[in-house]
Amino acid sequence: CKVLTRAGKLIDAEICIYSATDPTGLRSLARTEFVWPSGNKTLLTYSDSDRLLINGSAATPVEMLDGYMCLSNRKTGNVFCYK
C-alpha cells in the first residue's frame, strides 16, 4: 500500500494485509480492509447511494501508478494506492 499527497509526494509505503467481505451480495455492505504494519486500517466501502468511500469519506478513482490501483480521498486530498 502507498499513500501520496495530491501532488504525488510519497507519505507512506508499506506492505499491508488485505481482506474483503461481501456477506450478503449487497454492494452497500461490502467492505475491503487494508491493515498496515502499525495496526492502522484503510477501509473501502460503498455508501447507500453506491458511492465509493475511503475511511468514510468520498473517494474518486485516479490513474493507476506503477500497477497500483489508486483512489483520491476527497476529504484529505491524499491518494491511497494498492495492488
Side-chain angles (χ1 to χ4, degrees):
C1 297
K2 292 183 182 183
V3 177
L4 302 103
T5 65
R6 183 181 325 220
K9 181 180 176 188
L10 184 65
I11 295 172
D12 197 1
E14 298 182 73
I15 294 173
C16 53
I17 298 170
Y18 157 92
S19 67
T21 57
D22 188 6
T24 63
L26 295 174
R27 193 170 186 169
S28 63
L29 296 179
R31 58 186 282 143
T32 304
E33 185 176 87
F34 298 88
V35 181
W36 296 77
S38 65
N40 289 336
K41 297 177 183 178
T42 300
L43 183 62
L44 304 182
T45 56
Y46 287 90
S47 69
D48 291 338
S49 59
D50 210 30
R51 290 185 316 157
L52 181 60
L53 304 174
I54 184 168
N55 295 333
S57 298
T60 305
V62 296
E63 188 174 331
M64 291 177 49
L65 302 171
D66 299 327
Y68 283 82
M69 299 290 296
C70 298
L71 300 165
S72 176
N73 182 321
R74 288 197 234 164
K75 182 177 180 182
T76 66
N78 291 339
V79 177
F80 171 71
C81 300
Y82 63 95
K83 61 172 159 179

